[in-house]
Amino acid sequence: MTTKTNTTPLRPIQVLLRSKDAIELYTLPDTSSSSSFSTTSTPNKDNGRVIYQGKSTFHLVSPTGNQLFVHDPSIGLLACKLTDGGSPSKKSAFLSDSQTIQMAKCSPRGSYLLTWQRPSSSSSSSGGGGVVDKDGNLKVWSASDGKLLKSLSCKKATLETLQWTHDEELAFHLVTNEIHVYSAQDGWRRVGKVRCMNVASFSLPRVRGYAKNVVMSSDGGAGGGSKRYVFTVFCPESKGKPARVDLLRYPDRMGRDSSTVVGGASPSSNNNNNNNSNTETSPHLPSGPALASKSLFHAEEVTVQWSPRADSALLLTQTAVDSTGESYYGSTHLFLLLETDLKDPSRGVVLSVPLPPEAGKDSNGVVPIVSAGWIPNPCISGPVPFGVISGKMPALASLHHGLSGEPTFLMGRAHRNVMDVSPHGRFVVCGGYGNLAGGMDFWDRNKGKMIPRHVVMASSSPNGDGAFVTMKEPGDLTLTSCSPVVGHQWAPDSRTYLVSTTSPRMNVENGVHVYRYDGTLIDDSKLPWDNDKYRPDKLLSAEYVPAPLAEDANNGDGEGSKEFYYYPDRPQSPPPRSHVELKGEDAEKALASIRQTQSNGKSNGKSPAVAAYVPPAARAGGGGRGGAYVPPGARGGAAGRSGGTSLAERMRQEREGSAAALTGKKVVKRTGPVGAASVGPVGSDPDSKSKNAVRREKQRLAKEKAEREAAEAEQRKKEEEAARAEANKLDPEKRAKKLRKTLKQIDEIKAKAEQGVELNEDQKMKLASEKELRKELASLGL
């Protein structure tokens, strides 16, 4: 899948490294199967191009990969071209008065820059008690010429209060109890507002792609009509009310108190330095109710991850403290938000994501969520699936159906906290990074298997060709990084995977390592950079330069493309024909030799050494004291895993005893790539089940789901009763006053219902609680 002709070469894969001294750009050598098997000469370690020389506080790469923005506190924000060779001709600021900028981000297609800095000394106190910068400390700039387009005020050190739609036609800005909508391409005129009391955050999708068989209308709307943009708003708990998330759509479903300007942008002043001068004078069109709403009883923070088609989202809620004491990280819940309900296409729906029963639960029967994310390719057939890592460590990695949320494929339990999917959605890495051991498993999602790895042997076959052996066992394919992993990223062509150890998170062993999609570690001698120059603590970041926007996808509005990616989607590469694969007894001997080499922490230059991280003080000849303590996890152990026969290792092996049985387990029928299947009966061999067995399995799953939902409802009820009882003890008169007020509201709702007014979900819930509230009021004896 490529948008380039055969005569136009693709842009090479490039890696950008920022250290304490400079920012450098390196071109990654060919990493195809043939090149990885061949013995090429060591590349020049000094062939990287210095983009910027000097210290910098942060940098920003444009979404197209053409431009780099660097912030030097003594100069300001500078612009450097990545495609025409070299650093800026002169060290002059690209943005005026930008020395004090502390953070910046690009719009989805790179046309605008958003910067934030502390309010200046010209600030004044606002009527709400806050501080308002007269000149505006949240600024929008043109990314092409550095011109200031709009100034706004923002007290918090964040850039998320202003977000663009995926096509950059509209910009949404969060203010107190409202979100203002601006036409970014029409002089930044305000064209609507979203009224939402106590709103704390919102989220817009940055990318929108479409399946191959969807034909777009001329104005960008699927099936005709004006463009519509889905987004979410989050309101935290306030005054006893639970937190709430709403799924909205501009311009027709933004809530009853919201409105849009009839006929487009309203006539208003275009003063860049006046924060609130854009008042609408044109007629307004009120919007309908939200597509869907969800009350959240355990949510202090929310994370929204959008599907690549921007028609659904994953909502991960979290509390800072787990009241049960089971988790240091608090409690988590996962929900699926859909723009269109299959039962009622006129509205959306919020579903609780059902987690696999194999995931480990805490003592209260709750499955903690470690991470969740979408397959990023919108052009795959069927619903776009998503991946979840859930349960107590060792956690279970699973793929889920994009419309029902049901699990479809289990990838086994291990100490993993990250699921990285390649841009094309074919290859998946399950990794344990940060505080975990750095283990990695490489999967082919289309085949539903761990990717076999071809390892070249040092000896040659009798006819003079090279010999290789294929590793297929999961125990052989699991890798452990030789240093703690801080950064991790797939290349835009989905062929290589980068891991890095950077400062200030880790101030030892800084460096960058690159793996092929099958887990083969590319030897440091074949990389264009020298990791030694960044040690021990000089490397600040490492990342791939983004791919250019595909020509077909960049046809004016960025929609309607059948080809979504710049680079083609390529399957696994076969081994080169010039090498001979070892079979039978020869293969067993070769694999045994590789395992022994890995367990000793040695490398033959052709295959990765699987060894646990050893602190510098514990290394022989590394400046540490003789006989320094070595953690059990850093002592010799089985191939592919750290540890040996220590008590902790034996206990971990007992806990993970069933992980092998879960690895690669299909949960439902698969009609296509893993995770994109329609939900069906459970079983290792679906075709062998009778209709009665399928029916009984569905009944069992439905019963388990009902029991789980009933248990959750009962738990919430107990918590609410306990909270009410505590409030009654502290101040019964205050509680009675609140109860009478609520009962009065219930009487008003009853009167509305008798008049034929349709009630919403909150009103129905209040009516249902009338009996309990009157009983509680009577128990107060007032």
Side-chain angles (χ1 to χ4, degrees), residues 368-379:
I369 309 297
V370 181
S371 65
W374 290 92
I375 304 299
N377 188 350
C379 299

Side-chain angles (χ1 to χ4, degrees), residues 535-571:
R535 291 171 179 161
D537 60 348
K538 296 181 180 179
L539 186 63
L540 299 177
S541 68
E543 62 182 303
Y544 284 109
V545 175
L549 297 177
E551 289 178 351
D552 289 344
N554 191 16
N555 56 3
D557 58 8
E559 300 175 345
S561 171
K562 291 186 178 181
E563 307 294 345
F564 194 73
Y565 288 97
Y566 173 82
Y567 294 100
D569 181 14
R570 296 160 54 194

Side-chain angles (χ1 to χ4, degrees), residues 326-345:
E326 286 289 330
S327 173
Y328 173 79
Y329 300 99
S331 60
T332 54
H333 296 83
L334 185 64
F335 300 93
L336 176 63
L337 285 65
L338 300 175
E339 180 184 5
T340 304
D341 187 358
L342 296 179
K343 299 179 180 178
D344 184 3

Side-chain angles (χ1 to χ4, degrees), residues 6-20:
N6 295 331
T7 59
T8 305
L10 295 171
R11 178 193 290 181
I13 302 299
Q14 296 176 314
V15 178
L16 192 71
L17 303 182
R18 183 169 74 94
S19 65
K20 295 180 179 179

Side-chain angles (χ1 to χ4, degrees), residues 15-81:
V15 178
L16 192 71
L17 303 182
R18 183 169 74 94
S19 65
K20 295 180 179 179
D21 302 323
I23 299 178
E24 299 160 300
L25 184 68
Y26 294 92
T27 298
L28 201 66
D30 183 16
T31 58
S32 64
S33 179
S34 300
S35 67
S36 63
F37 275 79
S38 62
T39 55
T40 58
S41 59
T42 302
N44 182 8
K45 292 294 184 180
D46 297 326
N47 65 348
R49 177 156 58 91
V50 177
I51 302 298
Y52 186 76
Q53 187 72 44
K55 295 183 179 180
S56 56
T57 53
F58 67 86
H59 75 280
L60 185 67
V61 183
S62 67
T64 60
N66 296 327
Q67 201 168 14
L68 173 71
F69 300 97
V70 184
H71 184 260
D72 187 324
S74 62
I75 302 173
L77 195 71
L78 300 94
C80 311
K81 294 292 184 181

Side-chain angles (χ1 to χ4, degrees), residues 737-776:
K737 183 179 178 181
K738 185 175 182 180
L739 290 174
R740 294 189 186 100
K741 181 179 179 181
T742 305
L743 291 172
K744 183 179 178 181
Q745 294 174 351
I746 291 176
D747 293 337
E748 294 175 353
I749 293 173
K750 285 182 177 180
K752 291 182 179 180
E754 292 175 356
Q755 297 174 3
V757 178
E758 183 179 356
L759 304 181
N760 57 32
E761 292 297 328
D762 291 339
Q763 292 172 330
K764 292 178 181 179
M765 290 177 62
K766 277 189 177 182
L767 288 179
S769 64
E770 179 183 9
K771 185 176 180 181
E772 294 184 1
L773 295 178
R774 294 192 183 279
K775 182 178 178 181
E776 183 181 355

Side-chain angles (χ1 to χ4, degrees), residues 613-615 617-619 627-636:
Y613 170 70
V614 181
R619 299 171 189 165
Y629 171 72
V630 180
R635 300 166 190 168

Side-chain angles (χ1 to χ4, degrees), residues 342-395:
L342 296 179
K343 299 179 180 178
D344 184 3
S346 64
R347 58 188 295 271
V349 66
V350 180
L351 305 175
S352 178
V353 175
L355 300 173
E358 292 86 354
K361 300 180 180 179
D362 58 25
S363 59
N364 293 316
V366 178
V367 180
I369 309 297
V370 181
S371 65
W374 290 92
I375 304 299
N377 188 350
C379 299
I380 63 177
S381 59
V384 178
F386 59 91
V388 179
I389 298 180
S390 59
K392 298 181 67 175
M393 290 294 169

